[in-house]
């Protein structure tokens, strides 16, 4: 009998063959075409980890490569991970032996070796006090030794056995950098003149203006489908729209939800919406800071969840393009962890919400909600509806729309907006449930922290992290989720979606939020 | 022009620039924490601490100020937080684009605004005068960004005559230069008209008329030079409007100039770039004011004799 797990294993194997190609051929001369993309912004640096942001991560895949990579052609939800620059992984207890692909060249002509791979994950780069890209420590938590054994083999030792190392290396932390060039340039200059092993090489990068990529002739895999790829920064939506309608640009990003139908109505323009690996959310400040914070009472937080008809709001703002996850962390991208029929403990019920409010000492004082202006599409609109629905059950929330996160993070506040990414271990709830909420996470330690993890949560987290089989991990996941819901430090609103406009003649499949312009993702008429 | 005149002028200029530099420094350093803004919402506390250390943001405000002033005096305005490049280099590579766009806009403003103002004054009260005034009010009232977007929707989206964004060909210049130049032309037309009306009633113009000098000759050689002082003043002040307009228009049309750099730097909290650009704008404005003052002497011998 073929079980779900056997099916997933077969799918993973098939994807690996398809992606990396037993049949991969050396890059031949690609057709000489230019593809122009209009983007709302380009992040200021392309240093793989320091520069990790929405507007950089979506284009990294074209010039950087990782140990492993998510195969969105196999599963658009992003739960399938295949090898990319790593050829194989073998685990013996807490030590992983990784065999790297041979004959892979960086864009400067140097061969990629295990030395580069080991440096990529090294203390020097991620975990030392004066690390080049200290955020990398988050992506390599538990790594205690990374060492090149020979030219194409390295060992990764973790504090305790960790079955998720290959999947973790599909994150930006696993983007392999050329050691010598990186050290020669330094992280800032590397971010301006990035070098990777991907199908395109960066020839021009001016963050406020343009990035030009050209097909890399010595790419180890299939040749890039276009010879030149230009990313133009066009901040104004009207200009981007005019550009794609008139044919100046082949692809554009950043379409306001209410403009999608208008854009799709033009001849030669197709609009594609895809789910991203991130959920828009509101965090409740559960701490006694400010001292009179009524949200320290969990019943008031429960009431706030039950007072809001999130399904209706999401339907009104996004139609059928996305959904509200009724149960936190029960997300479809988690494959075997996902239970479609699971019911919420706190369903929409204004009467129950009123009753809960009555049980608390809450006296109607304004609860301040800090929101970053225009950071998440439709967030402010949703917030206005939520404020009205909270008012109906006697909860007085005051929105404060602020210009940036540094202002949002300034206390005092009772609620704040945030986005919880879900993709760090594809197909596994590690990131949103533990990585972003654990006792060491920003949400627990930063100046703007909003919760203190409970003893139950920490204990379940320990079991969750040490689990070596799916059954153990699934049980711990349920406990961990229950402990989180006991506190309810946040309300997940909707899965974030992105829309792209594409001209006729360009067949393109977005890979979640990534814009892969190669392989099976892009073809031109 | 005496040595004292020059000393006073240069002293005032230096003081203005120093005040702007100090105010900008204190305002920016007090307003927000650039570390969080630069590193994004997911940055760790350790990463933020390292960033502050790297850019001396962990030192006292006074200490940071001394370092900044010392470097600024040698022309070093620091490095961009965004991409680790010298600020001076960043600005230098954007200036040509802004000068090209600003120069063309200014030319449009003068070539359209001054003749229209003269015509309106010459035919005061006529349909032409009213038409010029209507044009002036409408174009002055329309905000740059709105006008820019309207142009994009009409000429790029509907008619598909002109490119919507970018700066590579002459066609790319047309819409942004028109958006900037026409609103300045509207201001200039109104000022030219009122300046010309002022001088047309003067005795020397009437004397020229009595001597049989033709209408156009009277206008160009008798009235216009005497109306030039208020016009030169407003042209100098218009440069300030041009800078403000450039910031908006460059963003709308994705024009890679200094204005857009300023917007990007402000939104990403790249303090070093914002400070340098504010100082650059201040220097530009005081320089223009000085040139306007000097031009009074060239245009009016009475001013020359007083200085």
């Amino acid at each position: 009998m073929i079980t779900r797990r056997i099916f997933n294993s077969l799918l993973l194997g098939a994807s690996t063959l398809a992606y990396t190609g037993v049949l991969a051929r050396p890059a031949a001369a690609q057709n000489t075409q230019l593809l122009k993309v209009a983007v709302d912004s380009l992040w200021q640096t392309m240093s793989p980890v320091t520069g990790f942001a929405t507007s950089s991560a979506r284009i990294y895949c074209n010039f950087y490569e990782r140990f492993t990579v998510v195969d969105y052609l196999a599963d658009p939800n992003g739960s399938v991970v295949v090898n990319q620059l790593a050829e194989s992984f073998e685990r013996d207890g807490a030590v992983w032996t990784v065999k790297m692909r041979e004959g892979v060249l960086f864009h400067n002509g140097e061969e990629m070796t295990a030395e580069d791979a080991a440096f990529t994950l090294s203390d020097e780069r991620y975990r030392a006090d004066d690390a080049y890209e200290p955020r990398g420590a988050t992506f390599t938590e538990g790594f205690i030794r990374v060492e090149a054994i020979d030219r194409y083999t390295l060992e990764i030792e973790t504090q305790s056995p960790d079955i998720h190392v290959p999947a973790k290396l599909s994150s930006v932390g696993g983007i392999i950098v050329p050691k010598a060039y990186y050290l020669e340039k330094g992280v800032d200059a590397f971010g301006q003149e990035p070098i990777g092993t991907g199908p395109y090489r960066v020839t021009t990068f001016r963050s406020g203006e343009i990035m030009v990529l050209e097909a890399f002739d010595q790419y180890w895999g299939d040749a890039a489908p276009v010879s030149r790829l230009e990313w133009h920064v066009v901040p104004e939506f009207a200009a981007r729209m005019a550009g794609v309608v008139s044919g100046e640009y082949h692809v554009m990003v950043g379409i306001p939800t209410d403009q999608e139908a208008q854009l799709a109505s033009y001849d030669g323009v197709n609009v594609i919406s895809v789910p991203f690996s991130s959920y828009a959310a509101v965090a409740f400040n559960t701490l006694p800071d400010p001292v009179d914070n009524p949200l320290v009472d969990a019943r008031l937080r429960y009431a706030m969840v039950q007072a809001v008809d999130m399904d209706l709001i999401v339907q009104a703002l996004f139609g059928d393009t996305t959904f509200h996850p009724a149960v936190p962390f029960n997300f479809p991208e988690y494959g075997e962890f996902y239970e479609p029929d699971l019911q919420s403990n706190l369903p929409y019920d204004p009467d129950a919400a009123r009753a809960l409010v009555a049980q608390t000492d809450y006296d109607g004082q304004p609860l301040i909600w800090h929101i970053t202006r225009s950071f998440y599409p439709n967030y402010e609109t949703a917030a206005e509806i939520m404020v009205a629905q909270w008012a109906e059950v006697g909860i007085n929330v005051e929105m404060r729309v602020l210009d940036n996160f540094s202002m949002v993070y300034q206390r005092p506040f009772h609620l704040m907006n945030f986005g919880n990414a879900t993709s760090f271990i594809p197909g596994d709830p590690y990131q949103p449930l533990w990585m972003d909420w654990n006792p060491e996470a920003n949400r627990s330690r930063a100046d703007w922290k909003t919760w203190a993890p409970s003893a139950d949560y920490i204990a379940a987290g320990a079991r969750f992290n040490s689990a070596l089989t799916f059954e153990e991990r699934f049980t711990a996941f349920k406990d961990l989720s229950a402990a989180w819901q006991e506190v309810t430090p946040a309300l997940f609103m909707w899965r974030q979606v992105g829309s792209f406009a594409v001209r006729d003649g360009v067949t393109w499949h977005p890979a979640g939020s990534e814009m892969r312009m190669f392989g099976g993702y892009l073809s031109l008429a | 022009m005496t040595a004292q005149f020059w000393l006073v002028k240069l002293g005032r200029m230096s003081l203005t620039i120093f005040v702007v530099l100090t105010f900008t420094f204190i305002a920016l350093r007090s307003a927000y924490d650039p570390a969080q803004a630069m590193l994004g919402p997911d940055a760790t506390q350790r990463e933020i601490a390292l960033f502050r250390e790297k850019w001396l943001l962990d030192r006292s405000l006074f200490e940071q100020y001394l370092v900044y002033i010392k470097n600024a005096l040698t022309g070093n305005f620091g490095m961009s937080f965004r991409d680790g490049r010298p600020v001076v280099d960043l600005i230098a590579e954007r200036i040509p684009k802004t000068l090209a766009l600003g120069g063309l806009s200014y030319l449009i403003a003068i070539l359209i605004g001054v003749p229209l103002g003269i015509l309106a004054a010459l035919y005061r009260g006529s349909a032409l005068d009213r038409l010029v005034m209507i044009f002036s009010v409408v174009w002055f009232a329309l905000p740059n960004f709105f006008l820019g977007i309207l142009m994009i929707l009409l000429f790029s989206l509907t008619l598909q005559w002109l490119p919507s964004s970018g700066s590579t060909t002459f066609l790319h210049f047309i819409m942004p230069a028109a958006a900037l130049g026409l609103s300045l032309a509207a201001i200039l037309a109104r000022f030219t008209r009122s300046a010309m009306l002022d001088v047309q009633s003067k005795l020397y113009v009437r004397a020229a008329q009595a001597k049989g000098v033709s209408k156009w000759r009277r206008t160009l050689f008798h009235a216009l030079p005497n109306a030039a002082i208020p016009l030169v003043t407003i042209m100098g002040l218009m440069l300030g409007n041009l800078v403000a307009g450039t910031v908006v228009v460059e963003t709308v049309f994705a024009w890679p100039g200094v204005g857009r750099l300023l917007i990007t730097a402000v939104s990403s909290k790249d303090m070093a770039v914002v400070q340098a650009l504010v100082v650059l704008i201040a220097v530009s404005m005081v320089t223009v004011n000085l040139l306007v003052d000097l031009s009074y002497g060239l245009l009016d011998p009475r001013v020359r004799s007083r200085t």
Side-chain angles (χ1 to χ4, degrees):
Chain A
M1 183 183 134
I2 295 184
T3 63
R4 210 163 30 164
R5 295 189 65 191
I6 292 172
F7 176 78
N8 283 348
S9 303
L10 290 171
L11 186 64
L12 192 143
S15 307
T16 304
L17 288 178
Y19 190 92
T20 59
V22 169
L23 305 172
R25 59 185 184 277
Q30 58 289 317
N31 48 30
T32 52
Q33 291 194 69
L34 164 66
L35 193 82
K36 291 171 81 175
V37 185
V39 294
D40 48 350
S41 63
L42 284 171
W43 195 244
Q44 56 257 33
T45 171
M46 293 293 146
S47 300
V49 180
T50 302
F52 179 45
T54 305
S55 57
S56 57
R58 68 185 170 204
I59 59 176
Y60 276 172
C61 48
N62 297 293
F63 49 93
Y64 285 141
E65 290 182 313
R66 310 156 194 230
F67 287 84
T68 56
V69 69
V70 177
D71 185 349
Y72 286 94
L73 294 176
D75 175 16
N77 264 319
S79 66
V80 175
V81 179
V82 296
N83 291 334
Q84 191 172 46
L85 293 180
E87 213 160 46
S88 67
F89 287 87
E90 279 180 28
R91 186 175 67 86
D92 181 7
V95 177
W96 281 92
T97 302
V98 187
K99 188 95 177 104
M100 301 305 294
R101 188 175 295 281
E102 296 182 24
V104 175
L105 298 182
F106 285 110
H107 300 147
N108 61 356
E110 302 289 322
E111 192 190 15
M112 180 208 68
T113 66
E115 192 64 39
D116 299 301
F119 170 74
T120 291
L121 306 174
S122 65
D123 288 353
E124 180 184 6
R125 185 161 172 250
Y126 285 161
R127 292 173 298 280
D129 287 341
D130 56 349
Y132 288 101
E133 302 192 61
R135 201 184 306 182
T138 312
F139 300 108
T140 56
E141 194 183 2
F143 285 32
I144 55 173
R145 181 177 64 89
V146 183
E147 188 180 353
I149 302 303
D150 61 35
R151 189 165 175 81
Y152 300 110
T153 312
L154 73 148
E155 284 187 351
I156 300 170
E157 187 176 349
T158 53
Q159 254 169 341
S160 55
D162 182 352
I163 58 170
H164 293 287
V165 165
K168 287 179 178 179
L169 295 178
S170 70
S171 73
V172 291
I175 288 173
I176 296 179
V177 296
K179 180 180 178 180
Y181 176 80
Y182 186 96
L183 291 175
E184 175 200 332
K185 284 280 182 182
V187 68
D188 290 337
F190 182 86
Q192 298 309 305
E193 298 171 54
I195 279 186
T197 60
Y200 298 95
R201 62 191 180 89
V202 178
T203 56
T204 304
F205 173 46
R206 293 192 293 272
S207 67
E209 185 188 348
I210 192 170
M211 174 180 269
V212 179
L213 304 178
E214 286 178 6
F216 180 43
D217 291 338
Q218 295 164 290
Y219 181 55
W220 60 272
D222 288 346
V226 290
S227 57
R228 187 178 166 96
L229 191 52
E230 293 181 0
W231 308 83
H232 292 261
V233 178
V234 184
E236 197 57 49
F237 168 71
R240 287 200 302 277
M241 180 172 79
V244 83
V245 169
S246 65
E248 283 173 75
Y249 302 111
H250 300 93
V251 180
M252 72 166 273
V253 303
I255 307 166
T257 314
D258 58 354
Q259 296 292 320
E260 288 175 13
Q262 162 80 11
L263 194 49
S265 70
Y266 289 102
D267 286 343
V269 179
N270 307 295
V271 175
I272 308 168
S273 289
V274 289
F276 288 172
S277 302
S278 172
Y279 286 78
V282 51
F284 302 125
N285 177 9
T286 66
L287 304 171
D289 180 4
V291 285
D292 60 346
N293 179 13
L295 282 174
V296 295
D297 188 335
R299 290 168 302 182
L300 189 59
R301 301 196 296 270
Y302 298 162
M304 292 187 82
V305 174
Q306 294 206 264
V308 171
D309 189 351
M310 212 67 233
D311 285 324
L312 185 72
I313 293 171
V314 172
Q315 181 64 38
L317 296 178
F318 295 96
D320 294 327
T321 58
T322 187
F323 63 94
H324 161 60
V327 181
F329 313 110
N330 187 42
F331 300 152
E333 60 265 44
Y334 291 146
E336 293 177 280
F337 290 91
Y338 176 55
E339 297 173 280
D341 300 324
L342 201 61
Q343 296 299 306
S344 169
N345 296 331
L346 298 170
Y348 171 61
D349 186 344
D351 293 333
R354 279 189 202 93
L356 281 165
V357 174
Q359 292 169 31
T360 69
D361 296 331
Y362 177 64
D363 59 1
Q365 72 175 90
L367 302 177
I368 307 303
W369 187 359
H370 281 190
I371 295 172
T372 319
R373 188 186 311 282
S374 304
F375 198 78
Y376 306 110
N378 287 334
Y379 196 98
E380 286 96 316
T381 312
E384 285 176 19
I385 302 169
M386 290 162 76
V387 166
Q389 293 194 324
W390 282 326
E392 284 177 10
V393 301
I395 301 171
N396 176 16
V397 176
E398 192 179 296
M399 284 169 59
R400 289 201 186 155
V401 182
L402 303 163
D403 285 335
N404 56 61
F405 271 97
S406 60
M407 295 169 85
V408 165
Y409 288 161
Q410 280 175 19
R411 308 193 93 99
F413 60 81
H414 299 93
L415 303 93
M416 68 154 62
N417 66 286
F418 78 106
N420 213 158
T422 61
S423 61
F424 178 51
I425 301 180
D428 185 280
Y430 173 84
Q431 179 171 12
L433 185 49
W434 179 253
M435 179 176 163
D436 291 346
W437 291 92
N438 72 59
E440 299 304 313
N442 276 348
R443 199 145 292 283
S444 316
R445 285 176 61 96
D447 295 341
W448 48 268
K449 60 182 177 257
T450 56
W451 92 316
S454 65
D456 285 350
Y457 176 87
I458 293 168
R463 292 198 300 280
F464 179 72
N465 283 310
S466 60
L468 293 178
T469 66
F470 172 76
E471 288 72 20
E472 287 174 2
R473 196 165 176 88
F474 184 74
T475 304
F477 157 69
K478 298 292 282 184
D479 293 345
L480 194 53
S481 179
W484 187 95
Q485 288 179 66
E486 185 67 31
V487 180
T488 304
L491 163 62
F492 288 101
M493 295 155 81
W494 58 76
R495 186 174 185 179
Q496 302 205 70
V497 286
S499 297
F500 304 89
V502 183
R503 295 279 317 170
D504 279 352
V506 177
T507 305
W508 179 61
H509 306 284
S513 57
E514 287 185 29
M515 302 182 74
R516 297 182 183 177
M517 300 298 189
F518 55 86
Y521 297 91
L522 174 73
S523 60
L524 294 137
Chain B
M1 305 277 174
T2 62
Q4 190 189 359
F5 169 86
W6 282 107
L7 280 173
V8 169
K9 285 284 175 196
L10 289 173
R12 281 182 188 166
M13 275 178 70
S14 306
L15 183 65
T16 305
I17 292 163
F18 178 75
V19 168
V20 166
L21 195 143
T22 304
F23 175 78
T24 311
F25 181 90
I26 292 168
L28 286 173
R29 290 291 199 284
S30 312
Y32 54 76
D33 173 17
Q36 191 75 67
M38 290 298 298
L39 298 172
D42 298 326
T44 62
Q45 293 304 290
R46 185 162 149 267
E47 199 176 2
I48 288 169
L50 287 170
F51 180 93
R52 288 183 180 142
E53 190 183 330
K54 176 179 175 179
W55 297 107
L56 310 182
L57 297 168
D58 54 346
R59 299 192 187 178
S60 72
L61 193 63
F62 184 66
E63 211 175 337
Q64 289 179 55
Y65 178 70
L66 287 181
V67 171
Y68 185 73
I69 292 289
K70 183 182 152 202
N71 289 337
L73 288 172
T74 61
N76 172 10
F77 286 90
M79 309 283 270
S80 160
F81 294 169
R82 271 171 64 88
D83 45 25
R85 294 176 58 204
V87 169
V88 172
D89 292 358
L90 273 178
I91 294 173
E93 70 187 25
R94 299 292 193 109
I95 279 179
K97 291 279 187 188
T98 296
L99 285 179
L101 177 62
L104 184 60
S105 306
Y106 210 61
L107 201 62
I108 287 172
I110 292 167
L111 292 180
I112 293 175
V114 173
L116 283 182
I118 292 170
L119 284 171
L122 282 178
Y123 301 99
R124 185 184 182 182
S126 67
L128 177 66
D129 181 22
R130 281 194 290 275
L131 203 66
V132 169
M133 286 303 96
I134 289 168
F135 155 84
S136 174
V137 169
V138 168
W139 285 97
F140 179 63
L142 277 176
N144 279 332
F145 70 89
F146 182 67
L147 183 60
I149 288 170
L150 279 184
M151 284 178 162
I152 287 170
L153 294 178
L154 177 62
F155 295 110
S156 302
L157 189 68
T158 308
L159 301 171
Q160 299 191 10
W161 290 351
L162 295 170
S164 60
S165 56
S167 64
T168 44
T169 67
F170 177 72
L171 288 178
H172 287 96
F173 273 84
I174 296 172
M175 284 199 292
L180 257 178
L182 288 173
S183 64
L184 296 178
I187 300 170
L188 205 50
R190 286 186 76 87
F191 271 90
T192 306
R193 178 182 179 272
S194 63
M196 289 296 289
L197 288 175
D198 267 355
V199 294
Q200 274 182 327
S201 59
K202 300 285 185 197
L203 286 175
Y204 51 83
V205 177
R206 290 167 72 180
Q209 188 179 0
K211 284 195 281 183
V213 178
S214 72
K215 187 179 192 177
W216 286 106
R217 196 168 171 77
R218 280 200 317 269
T219 302
L220 295 176
F221 296 100
H222 294 260
L224 192 57
N226 286 287
I229 287 194
L231 286 185
V232 166
T233 307
I234 199 65
M235 282 180 191
L237 291 173
M238 263 172 44
L239 274 179
N241 285 4
L242 192 68
V243 170
T246 299
V247 168
V248 176
V249 166
E250 285 186 358
T251 302
V252 170
F253 291 98
W255 188 271
V258 168
R260 201 160 132 216
L261 179 65
L262 180 59
I263 288 282
T264 310
V266 168
S267 61
S268 64
K269 310 294 174 278
D270 198 348
M271 287 194 302
V273 176
V274 176
Q275 277 161 202
L277 285 171
V278 171
V279 170
L280 176 73
I281 291 165
V283 169
S284 308
M285 292 306 296
V286 295
T287 306
V288 166
N289 279 334
L290 179 68
L291 293 174
V292 168
D293 284 354
L294 292 176
S295 69
Y296 292 164
L298 295 174
L299 292 166
D300 189 342
R302 291 168 302 177
V303 174
R304 206 162 38 233
S305 64
R306 280 202 299 267
T307 53

